[in-house]
């Protein structure tokens, strides 16, 4: 890794991880790595990581669109996950809360997140993300309530099939 950095002028090398324990395995490397990991309202396993903010990239902030899209485009999802999705969106609708704005606001307020990655399906989605008027305050009680809608076994999309 050090040769790569030196020979190719690479500023940052990093890892895409799925569990906080995977970060621990890399801490003895002779350089400070950059990490991208899943974090969102339903999946807060990385909430208290101790890594420099400029070395952290949040991914899956919309949980494969589950947290932002009322319609589900994926087929064959577990029925428990579909129920969670429906309850989550019904609750947000009852409070007149925009799910995209809430997801972005949640990530934006995290002190240990330097950057975030988003996936989009079309330019309309990108426009709504760019134009989102983020909430100044994200109510932790609301986040905890919304988090409780999801079974922890489903926060990892690799386990959806």
């Amino acid at each position: 890794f050090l040769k790569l950095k030196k020979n190719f002028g690479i500023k940052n090398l990093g890892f895409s991880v799925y569990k906080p324990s995977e970060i621990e395995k890399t801490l003895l490397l002779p350089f400070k790595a950059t990490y991208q990991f899943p974090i969102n309202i339903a999946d807060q396993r990385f909430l208290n990581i101790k890594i420099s903010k400029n070395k952290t990239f949040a991914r899956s902030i919309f949980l494969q669109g589950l947290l932002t899209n009322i319609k589900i485009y994926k087929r064959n999802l577990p029925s428990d996950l579909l129920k969670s999705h429906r309850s989550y969106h019904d609750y947000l609708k009852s409070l007149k809360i925009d799910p995209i704005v809430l997801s972005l606001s949640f990530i934006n307020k995290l002190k240990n997140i330097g950057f975030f990655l988003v996936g989009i399906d079309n330019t309309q989605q990108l426009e709504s993300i760019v134009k989102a008027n983020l909430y100044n305050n994200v109510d932790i009680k609301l986040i905890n309530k919304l988090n409780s809608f999801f079974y922890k076994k489903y926060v990892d999309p690799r386990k959806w099939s």
Side-chain angles (χ1 to χ4, degrees):
F1 286 127
L2 291 176
K3 277 185 180 179
L4 282 173
K5 284 183 71 147
K6 182 181 175 193
N7 293 340
F8 293 98
I10 296 171
K11 184 177 178 182
N12 291 300
L13 283 175
F15 301 93
S16 182
V17 295
Y18 291 91
K19 298 181 287 192
S21 62
E22 293 172 328
I23 291 175
E24 294 170 17
K25 296 175 183 177
T26 67
L27 293 178
L28 297 177
L29 292 171
F31 63 90
K32 297 237 186 256
T34 300
Y35 299 91
Q36 68 164 293
F37 47 82
I39 188 164
N40 53 62
I41 290 168
D43 181 1
Q44 298 179 26
R45 294 171 294 154
F46 287 88
L47 198 58
N48 296 312
I49 59 162
K50 304 285 188 247
I51 299 172
S52 173
K53 184 175 180 170
N54 66 343
K55 297 286 187 178
T56 57
F57 289 78
R59 73 164 190 271
S60 197
I61 66 171
F62 301 141
L63 191 57
Q64 305 294 311
L66 214 67
L67 299 176
T68 56
N69 296 323
I70 294 172
K71 281 188 170 184
I72 295 182
Y73 300 100
K74 299 181 186 310
R75 298 190 184 273
N76 303 322
L77 293 177
S79 61
D80 290 346
L81 183 57
L82 293 172
K83 288 178 193 172
S84 296
H85 173 266
R86 188 171 30 257
S87 298
Y88 175 84
H89 283 282
D90 287 348
Y91 190 70
L92 286 181
K93 188 176 180 180
S94 75
L95 298 175
K96 295 182 170 89
I97 293 176
D98 181 300
I100 291 175
V101 172
L102 181 63
S103 289
L104 291 169
S105 297
F106 171 72
I107 296 299
N108 189 52
K109 290 297 180 186
L110 296 178
K111 302 267 187 257
N112 59 344
I113 302 298
F115 310 93
F116 60 87
L117 307 168
V118 295
I120 59 167
D121 295 321
N122 54 53
T123 55
Q124 277 183 308
Q125 287 177 345
L126 180 59
E127 286 175 13
S128 66
I129 290 168
V130 170
K131 291 179 181 178
N133 186 12
L134 303 184
Y135 301 128
N136 289 326
N137 294 313
V138 178
D139 183 357
I140 194 65
K141 289 180 185 175
L142 172 64
I143 297 301
N144 291 338
K145 168 87 172 161
L146 293 169
N147 177 273
S148 72
F149 286 122
F150 294 92
Y151 296 100
K152 297 307 159 216
K153 66 182 177 181
Y154 293 129
V155 297
D156 184 346
R158 298 175 299 167
K159 298 180 180 177
W160 291 358
S161 54

